Amino acid sequence: MSDFSDISVVVQGPVQSFQDREQEPGITQKCLESVRRHLPGSTLILSTWPGQELAGLDFDRLVISDDPGSNVRFFGRDGAPHRFNNNRQIVSTREGLKEVTTKYAVKLRSDNYLTGNNFVALQRAYPKRTSTHCFLKERVVVSNVFTRQYAKGFRVPFHLSDFFYFGLTEDLKALWDLALFDDAQDPIRDSEDTLFTDYPPDCTQMFWIKALRKFDSSLSINGLLDRSPLKMNQSDLCFANNLIIASPPELGLGLCQKFLGTARISRTKGQCAQWQHWEWQEIYRRYCDPDFPKAPASVKANLFLKRLVHVHPVKLETLFKLHKIRRISESGSIK
């Protein structure tokens, strides 16, 4: 395929370092140039903030949104507010997608870039679906970077990356036309001990759950490790029926330097905690297409051994920490 005129790419985020977020010099220019190279004919939309230096950048449309600022999701055990850029991500993505008029769209962070266009063919490679938890019109292709199978040694539900999305524009709009997160107000009522059963949910879990609840309001989590059999099954069904999960090389996605080299997510420990494409294929086979080929036993064994070394030993550490936190919390309540 040499013409991608039915695709728009929303590059969202800061162009340079912005507020408390560092940005690799020149990465947004590299991002925009990569779209021109790998998706010729596509429409390129840059969605960013006021005051960014735009000279020399190549795009078709520019969206400038007022900065909503960081949001306070909860207060720590020391009473300090924990701030995140969740609302900034929602605004820059949502407002950029509003400008899309093509059938398909890409959501691409301004600090990542394309190395190919494999994701286009990948999106059409898995046609079968089941009726249960089938919310989107077509599958959306996402990156496995930060799409975690495991966190703190345990399998976790709904842990979907926010790095990269490709699919029908109406599906991406459904996933990112989200209300902003309200700020936590009270250090007691909105503390992490009061709000969550274990650890606070990851931001990526919150985005995905917030979107899914538009289709099924019963879906929820109350902590990073809120992993009952029901919720794990719901999570797998949502992944199998609405997404395709693949690694950056399989997609044609490049990452900025802070996610490479010795970064935690690039080390073996981080990579083997993520969903692998063949693992997604396994749940696709389980729920959608029983005739789809199984992954080779050698591939399964290799990942099992890596997780045995790098992932599962963390369970004991997590259980000890949670026990300690509960004891401290209970002693504080008694006082």
Side-chain angles (χ1 to χ4, degrees):
M1 185 175 181
S2 58
D3 178 64
F4 299 92
S5 57
D6 62 344
I7 298 174
S8 293
V9 181
V10 175
V11 173
Q12 54 83 211
V15 174
Q16 300 92 26
S17 296
F18 181 75
Q19 303 291 357
D20 55 352
R21 175 178 163 182
E22 291 294 320
Q23 188 84 321
E24 181 181 322
I27 189 64
T28 303
Q29 182 172 356
K30 182 177 182 178
C31 172
L32 298 172
E33 290 173 351
S34 75
V35 174
R36 294 297 195 206
R37 183 179 311 114
H38 296 292
L39 292 177
S42 64
T43 301
L44 185 45
I45 300 169
L46 176 61
S47 181
T48 188
W49 311 112
Q52 296 284 283
E53 178 54 60
L54 304 176
L57 298 183
D58 177 21
F59 48 82
D60 297 310
R61 299 179 198 167
L62 177 65
V63 177
I64 302 290
S65 303
D66 291 335
D67 177 20
S70 60
N71 56 297
V72 179
R73 280 184 51 208
F74 56 87
F75 290 86
R77 295 180 181 91
D78 59 357
H82 283 233
R83 296 185 176 277
F84 298 84
N85 286 321
N86 304 148
N87 288 342
R88 285 175 172 151
Q89 171 120 233
I90 290 173
V91 169
S92 61
T93 303
R94 182 185 66 196
E95 298 308 304
L97 286 170
K98 285 180 180 179
E99 296 300 311
V100 175
T101 57
T102 53
K103 183 177 181 180
Y104 290 93
V106 174
K107 173 216 179 295
L108 180 63
R109 283 172 50 132
S110 59
D111 60 355
N112 291 327
Y113 57 95
L114 299 183
T115 61
N117 53 42
N118 303 342
F119 54 86
V120 178
L122 197 62
Q123 196 261 349
R124 298 165 183 163
Y126 301 92
K128 295 188 178 181
R129 305 171 80 184
T130 185
S131 59
T132 306
H133 293 77
C134 187
F135 301 133
L136 304 180
K137 299 291 185 183
E138 294 183 6
R139 296 184 187 281
V140 169
V141 181
V142 299
S143 168
N144 77 330
V145 179
F146 291 111
T147 300
R148 289 195 174 105
Q149 274 263 36
Y150 289 86
K152 300 188 182 299
F154 292 91
R155 276 203 74 202
V156 290
F158 301 109
H159 204 306
L160 177 66
S161 172
D162 58 5
F163 269 33
F164 175 92
Y165 284 55
F166 169 67
L168 280 176
T169 298
E170 64 178 294
D171 287 335
L172 264 64
K173 286 182 176 179
L175 293 176
W176 284 99
D177 186 10
L178 303 174
L180 301 187
F181 289 95
D182 293 328
D183 279 336
Q185 301 290 335
D186 188 295
I188 303 300
R189 185 191 65 229
D190 298 329
S191 73
E192 56 183 314
D193 284 341
T194 304
L195 293 175
F196 311 117
T197 55
D198 42 75
Y199 294 96
D202 190 85
C203 297
T204 58
Q205 289 175 300
M206 298 303 296
F207 285 134
W208 183 227
I209 283 289
K210 199 174 181 71
L212 291 176
R213 284 177 59 83
K214 295 164 70 174
F215 302 97
D216 182 349
S217 60
S218 71
L219 298 174
S220 66
I221 53 172
N222 193 33
L224 174 68
L225 307 180
D226 190 0
R227 48 186 298 277
S228 69
L230 172 63
K231 292 190 178 181
M232 295 306 302
N233 185 60
Q234 289 173 331
S235 178
D236 284 352
L237 273 166
C238 290
F239 279 11
N241 250 336
N242 299 285
L243 304 174
I244 298 168
I245 302 170
S247 68
E250 291 165 327
L251 296 176
L253 177 66
L255 307 180
C256 63
Q257 288 299 316
K258 70 179 178 181
F259 298 119
L260 301 176
T262 59
R264 182 176 61 177
I265 200 66
S266 287
R267 298 198 296 265
T268 301
K269 183 176 182 179
Q271 289 190 344
C272 69
Q274 299 170 161
W275 277 83
Q276 308 302 308
H277 181 52
W278 69 262
E279 289 184 294
W280 178 84
Q281 289 176 324
E282 288 287 284
I283 61 171
Y284 172 76
R285 182 177 61 83
R286 184 189 315 156
Y287 294 113
C288 305
D289 185 0
D291 296 325
F292 193 84
K294 294 182 179 181
S298 59
V299 173
K300 294 181 180 181
N302 181 266
L303 183 59
F304 172 78
L305 291 173
K306 286 181 179 179
R307 286 176 174 164
L308 197 63
V309 173
H310 297 286
V311 173
H312 296 302
V314 183
K315 287 180 182 178
L316 289 176
E317 180 183 344
T318 298
L319 290 171
F320 176 77
K321 286 182 178 178
L322 288 173
H323 177 69
K324 184 177 179 181
I325 289 169
R326 288 181 184 124
R327 288 191 63 182
I328 293 173
S329 178
E330 288 169 1
S331 64
S333 299
I334 293 172
K335 291 177 182 178

